[in-house]
Amino acid sequence: MRITCPLCGERDRREFTYKGTALAIPALDAGVAAWDDYVHMRDNLPGAIDEWWQHDMGCGSWLKVTRNTVSHEMIAVVAGEASGLGLAEAQANPEDQA
Amino acid sequence: MGALLQRRAGTARHDAVAWGYARGADKFGVDLIQNCEVTGIDVEGGKVVGVQTARGPIKAKKIALAAAGRSSQVAAMAGLRLPIESHVLQAFVSEGLKPIIDHVITFAEGHLYISQSDKGGLVFGSYLDFYSSYAARGNLPMQEHTMEAIAAMVPAVTKARLLRSWGGIMDMTPDGSPIIDHTPIEGLYLNAGWCYGGFKATPASGHCFAHLIATDRPHAAATKFKLDRFRTGKGLMDEEGTGAQHNLH
């Protein structure tokens, strides 16, 4: 299994650490149901899934990878801002240092 | 250097166990319908009324799901999501050898186990591949890790050839512990989330599940295996102390 890192190119799976299913992080005050959904509940159906892989033995980027869980085919890889990683609050207020 | 010896432990022939239960169930008058896929679960007014199958519908007041690896797929037929991710665990068998191992040898820190089947093959394995999968096969990095670890633990096995390997689909829960419970749908029961520890729990798990289905009360040994423990945070069974979220078990 190989992942094409947008910065480093196609690399062996061993350079990456799987970080789990990629889901939009709820707002901090979204409530128990939204956070239970995000932390625990999963569709978990065969086919294309979005997940985070960190290129920790390469550039260190967090990549949102779309992968087919039946064939392991890598369908898409997105890095950086376009991947939507991070809290909505932080993305809306990038200057906040709190 | 230290070790533990568990004299009462051992191995079981997985196929013999499956066929033993099949023969026993058949003797009690249970209909076992093979090669018949469930394609839908009919729910009316919050209650199950039956299933749709590749060979036609079956009405039922009580439906029990025990479809490890594909629990989410089957639950989705009733409109349910589960706190489960399906991950791949590889297993390996060597060519047949004269008896050299008459125990199960494990190295818990490496999730490593090895034993010898009565056909002579060494049966061994280690970790999950650590990504979700329905492929029923894993990749080379974890194969390589397993071979290195086994060779370090039992150097003699390096002389043997690997005969076959495969991957099983594991029902992984956030706290690494199983679920035997009602679902929010009346008459629909769930036995799932056994992660990579399911086969050895089969007799007890089945017994507890039967108790729940028959009496609508959990068996005393399974009261903690609740489906809602992740949402409430009460009764989590985080056995490895790593936290109750996915990919830590």
Side-chain angles (χ1 to χ4, degrees), chain B residues 110-146:
Chain B
H111 274 219
L112 200 55
Y113 67 89
I114 184 168
S115 67
Q116 187 167 21
S117 80
D118 46 12
K119 288 203 280 193
L122 299 174
V123 182
F124 58 97
S126 68
Y127 286 115
L128 299 169
D129 265 43
F130 296 121
Y131 47 82
S132 65
S133 174
Y134 279 96
R137 59 176 170 81
N139 275 289
L140 294 174
M142 189 45 68
Q143 292 191 21
E144 189 176 50
H145 168 83
T146 304

Side-chain angles (χ1 to χ4, degrees), chain A residues 1 12-14 18 20-21 32 36-37 39-46 49 51 53 67 69-72, chain B residues 72-73 81-87 129-135 137 139 141 144 174 230-231 244 246-247:
Chain A
M1 218 162 63
D12 184 283
R13 170 259 181 281
R14 271 171 282 211
Y18 176 72
T21 307
V32 169
D36 176 47
D37 247 24
V39 177
H40 306 124
M41 304 307 280
R42 295 288 181 265
D43 290 338
N44 190 39
L45 298 175
I49 191 173
E51 51 193 27
W53 289 81
R67 181 176 62 94
T69 57
V70 177
S71 64
H72 296 166
Chain B
S72 298
Q73 280 179 274
R81 292 169 86 224
L82 298 178
I84 286 173
E85 287 191 359
S86 294
H87 281 240
D129 265 43
F130 296 121
Y131 47 82
S132 65
S133 174
Y134 279 96
R137 59 176 170 81
N139 275 289
E144 189 176 50
F230 308 105
R231 184 179 54 79
H246 288 291
N247 306 308

Side-chain angles (χ1 to χ4, degrees), chain A residues 19 39-40 42, chain B residues 173-176 230 238 242-249:
Chain A
K19 292 292 192 181
V39 177
H40 306 124
R42 295 288 181 265
Chain B
T173 54
D175 64 359
F230 308 105
D238 177 18
T242 46
Q245 59 188 67
H246 288 291
N247 306 308
L248 297 180
H249 297 269

Side-chain angles (χ1 to χ4, degrees), chain A residues 7-98:
Chain A
L7 278 78
C8 309
E10 190 184 69
R11 296 298 175 93
D12 184 283
R13 170 259 181 281
R14 271 171 282 211
E15 290 191 14
F16 302 84
T17 298
Y18 176 72
K19 292 292 192 181
T21 307
L23 299 167
I25 303 177
L28 291 172
D29 59 358
V32 169
W35 276 96
D36 176 47
D37 247 24
Y38 171 72
V39 177
H40 306 124
M41 304 307 280
R42 295 288 181 265
D43 290 338
N44 190 39
L45 298 175
I49 191 173
D50 287 344
E51 51 193 27
W52 298 114
W53 289 81
Q54 189 191 9
H55 196 188
D56 55 327
M57 285 208 242
C59 62
S61 294
W62 280 65
L63 307 173
K64 184 158 81 172
V65 176
T66 306
R67 181 176 62 94
N68 185 318
T69 57
V70 177
S71 64
H72 296 166
E73 178 199 354
M74 301 292 169
I75 298 163
V77 184
V78 178
E81 283 183 33
S83 69
L85 173 66
L87 285 170
E89 278 92 334
Q91 288 177 350
N93 304 292
E95 302 305 318
D96 276 359
Q97 296 297 311

Side-chain angles (χ1 to χ4, degrees), chain B residues 156-212:
Chain B
V157 312
T158 56
K159 295 181 192 163
R161 303 280 182 168
L162 187 66
L163 189 61
R164 62 175 172 270
S165 69
W166 66 94
I169 308 172
M170 309 286 116
D171 260 15
M172 299 303 293
T173 54
D175 64 359
S177 295
I179 300 163
I180 303 179
D181 201 358
H182 296 95
T183 65
I185 297 174
E186 194 182 323
L188 188 62
Y189 303 83
L190 180 67
N191 186 347
W194 285 90
C195 303
Y196 38 75
F199 168 69
K200 41 193 172 284
T202 303
S205 143
H207 185 77
C208 292
F209 199 31
H211 184 283
L212 175 69

